[in-house]
Amino acid sequence: MDGFDIVDSYDVPDESFYYKLRGVKWDKRAKKLFKRLSTLKFEVSFEKFRSDTTSFGTGEDFALTFLAACNCVNHERDRINLEDVIMAYKTYLKLIDTDISSL
């Protein structure tokens, strides 16, 4: 997933991919890591910007959950694990750092 900027070929997800996404559940340890990282992200942004608005944070958490679930389904699992959470954050940080001015 973190190779989204390098495309050799692309297969459009079929309907079954989205059905599988709906059935994805959290592993306990992965959910705990996700919550800790989310809290850390909130604390850092609060320190940096002195704002406690959570609408952007909620959107970030949704996007990160979606990325983790997609990675889970891509690896033919039905439970989000620690690797999925880490991959979601790596992908998200790479997306933030991507220069889209050339696009």
Side-chain angles (χ1 to χ4, degrees), residues 7-19:
V7 180
D8 292 333
S9 66
Y10 176 71
D11 296 326
V12 177
D14 60 0
E15 195 173 326
S16 70
F17 178 84
Y18 296 102
Y19 281 115

Side-chain angles (χ1 to χ4, degrees), residues 35-52:
K35 286 182 178 181
R36 284 184 176 177
L37 289 172
S38 183
T39 300
L40 177 64
K41 184 171 41 88
F42 172 78
E43 289 173 358
V44 168
S45 66
F46 182 79
E47 258 324 292
K48 176 87 172 150
F49 302 110
R50 296 286 180 205
S51 174
D52 62 353

